[in-house]
Amino acid sequence: MNTLRSIKGTHDILPEQSRRWQSLEQNIHNFMERYGYAEIRTPAFERTELFARGVGSETDIVSKEMYSFRDMSDTSVTLKPELTAPVIRSYLQHNLGRITPLTKLYYIDHAFRQERPQKGRYRQFHQYGVEALGSPHPEIDLEIIAIAYFSLLELGLENLTIKLNSIGSSECRTAFREALKDFLRPHLNDLSETSRRRFDTNPMRILDTKVPHEAEIVKSAPIIAEYLTSADRAHYEELKSGLKSLSIPFEEDSNLVRGLDYYTRTTFEIISPALGAQSSVCGGGRYDGLIETLGGKPTPGIGFATGIERVLLAQDAAGIIANPQNTKIYLISLDDPGRAANLVLISQLRNAGIKSDMDYLRRSMKAQFREANRLGAEFVIINGNTEIKAGTVQIKDLNTGEQSAIAPADLISHLLK
Ligand code: ATP
Ligand code: MG
C-alpha cells in the first residue's frame, strides 16, 4: 500500500525546524508585550460571507484562492485566508471596543489560500500581525509601521525596504477613480481579462498589477497624491515626519494601493531582497471603512500581516540559526538496579528543571556514551549495582573528562550551583 503524503503546498514542521518556530514565536510574544498588544486567537474557519464582505469579492484572495465548502447545515464556510476579518468579527461579536477606546490586538496564526505552490508561496502558511482599532490619528499609523519594521529587525532581517503610500479618504477616491478610468479607457484592449473586469468593479486594483506590460501602462496613470484632501495630506505628512524622527527608512510608491474599497489613507508593504520573486514579507494599511462594512459602528482601524515562512527564508539567507538547547545530563545505566535507580533520579532532575535524558533501549555502556555525545550532554551520570551499594553515583564532565563520585542527594545542588 502507498504511504500517504501531505497535500501539495502544505508542510510538516519537523523537530529540527520547530525549535526555530518556537524561538520566533517567543520573540513575537515578547515584542508585542512590550508594545502593549494583547494576543487574540480566532477559529480556523468562518462563514464565507465574512471574507466576501471583509476582504472584498474583487480581490485575488476571495475571487480565486479560498478553500470553501458547505458544512452539514449547508452553510458555506471557508478556511481563513487572512486574519484581519476574523479579528474584526471577534472584536464586534464580543464588543471589545467597550472595554477600551483603542483596542490593540496581535496574532500568530495560520492562513489557507489555494495558490500555485512555489518558494515562499504555500497553501497553508503562517502570519503574525497586529490590528489597532479605534484611533484615526497618524501616531497609531506610525506605531503600526514601527512594529512591523522593528519586529523584522529583531528577527534578524536586513536591507528591508518599506514602500509607503496614502490613498486618501473616500471623499477624494471618487474623483480619482474617474480620472483613472479616463486614463485607462484607451488601453482597455491591452489589459488582461481580470483588469478589464476590475475596470468596472474596482479600477484602483489595476494599479497593483503584477503583469509587466500593464505595470508599464500604469506607470503614467494619474497619481492619487494629487487628489488627496488637505486633511488626508496633513495625516500623511505627519506620518512621514514621524517615520523620519524614528529613523525608519521608507520609499514612497504612488501605485501601492493594496486594493480594497474600504482601505483609507496609509498603505505600506515591506520588501526583503533576500526573497527573490516572492519579495513581499509584510503588507498593511489603514481600513477606516472595514468595521462598518462588517456591521459595526464606524471605527477607524489599521494593521499589518507578516508572512512567517518568508521571514524564515530571509533568515536562512542571512545565515541565522536557532541555538539548540543541549541536554545537560545523560544518565548511563550499567545494569538492572542501575536503570531502576536512574529512572527515579531522572525524574528528580527533570522536576528540578534540569534537562536530562537516559537510555530506554537497554543498550551497551559504549552505545549509551555515544548517545550522550550525540545529545551534546555536559555531564554523564553512571549508575549500577556497585554505585548503589556505595550510596553514590559517578559523575563525569564530558568537557574535561574529570570523573568523581557523588551522593545522589547532593547531585541537584551540585549541578545548579
Ligand atoms: P503576494 O503579493 O506575495 O501574493 P499578498 O498581497 O497576497 O502577497 P497579504 O495578503 O498582504 O499578501 O499577506 C501578507 C503577507 O503574508 C505577505 O507579505 C507574505 O509574506 C505572506 N503571504 C501571503 N500569501 C502567502 C502564501 N500563499 N504563502 C506564504 N506566505 C504568504
Ligand atoms: Mg497573494
Side-chain angles (χ1 to χ4, degrees), residues 84 134 199-200:
T84 302
F199 179 82
D200 295 315

Side-chain angles (χ1 to χ4, degrees), residues 270-286:
I270 305 183
I271 308 292
S272 162
L275 289 175
Q278 270 62 250
S279 62
S280 150
V281 65
C282 167
R286 180 169 273 289

Side-chain angles (χ1 to χ4, degrees), residues 243-255:
L243 289 168
K244 283 178 193 146
S245 67
L246 294 186
S247 304
I248 298 177
F250 62 90
E251 282 174 15
E252 290 182 73
D253 178 349
S254 58
N255 282 350

Side-chain angles (χ1 to χ4, degrees), residues 9 55 60-61 65 81-83 107 111-128 205 208 210 258 263 268-271 275 277-284 304-311 313:
V55 181
D60 286 348
I61 294 181
E65 296 172 358
E82 60 94 50
L83 287 311
Y107 57 79
F112 306 85
R113 293 184 195 174
Q114 219 156 164
E115 302 200 68
R116 194 167 70 77
Q118 51 199 293
K119 191 174 182 201
R121 191 177 295 289
Y122 312 112
R123 292 184 167 175
Q124 178 176 7
F125 62 100
H126 298 75
Q127 294 181 328
Y128 72 86
R205 279 289 297 173
D208 260 343
K210 303 249 157 70
R258 302 197 53 79
Y263 265 140
F268 69 100
E269 202 166 306
I270 305 183
I271 308 292
L275 289 175
Q278 270 62 250
S279 62
S280 150
V281 65
C282 167
F304 73 78
T306 291
I308 296 180
E309 283 82 356
R310 292 191 194 175
V311 170
L313 285 170

Side-chain angles (χ1 to χ4, degrees), residues 184-200:
L184 287 170
R185 204 164 281 118
H187 298 283
L188 266 182
N189 287 333
D190 301 326
L191 300 183
S192 65
E193 199 188 312
T194 312
S195 290
R196 279 206 299 272
R197 197 180 62 238
R198 286 174 175 164
F199 179 82
D200 295 315

Side-chain angles (χ1 to χ4, degrees), residues 87-157:
V87 168
I88 304 295
R89 194 265 311 135
S90 175
Y91 165 87
L92 291 173
Q93 182 173 337
H94 303 287
N95 211 348
L96 298 183
R98 251 215 327 239
I99 304 168
T100 45
L102 177 61
T103 309
K104 293 176 161 194
L105 303 168
Y106 80 95
Y107 57 79
I108 304 178
D109 209 343
H110 49 186
F112 306 85
R113 293 184 195 174
Q114 219 156 164
E115 302 200 68
R116 194 167 70 77
Q118 51 199 293
K119 191 174 182 201
R121 191 177 295 289
Y122 312 112
R123 292 184 167 175
Q124 178 176 7
F125 62 100
H126 298 75
Q127 294 181 328
Y128 72 86
V130 310
E131 317 291 349
L133 311 170
S135 170
H137 301 301
E139 47 270 36
I140 198 76
D141 303 52
L142 176 63
E143 174 160 289
I144 294 296
I145 295 177
I147 292 176
Y149 181 67
F150 290 136
S151 64
L152 288 171
L153 292 192
E154 191 143 316
L155 293 168
L157 272 62

Side-chain angles (χ1 to χ4, degrees), residues 372-393:
N373 281 316
R374 193 184 71 80
L375 294 172
E378 262 178 75
F379 297 96
V380 294
I381 303 289
I382 304 158
N383 211 348
N385 217 357
T386 321
E387 285 71 26
I388 293 168
K389 284 197 178 121
T392 59
V393 294

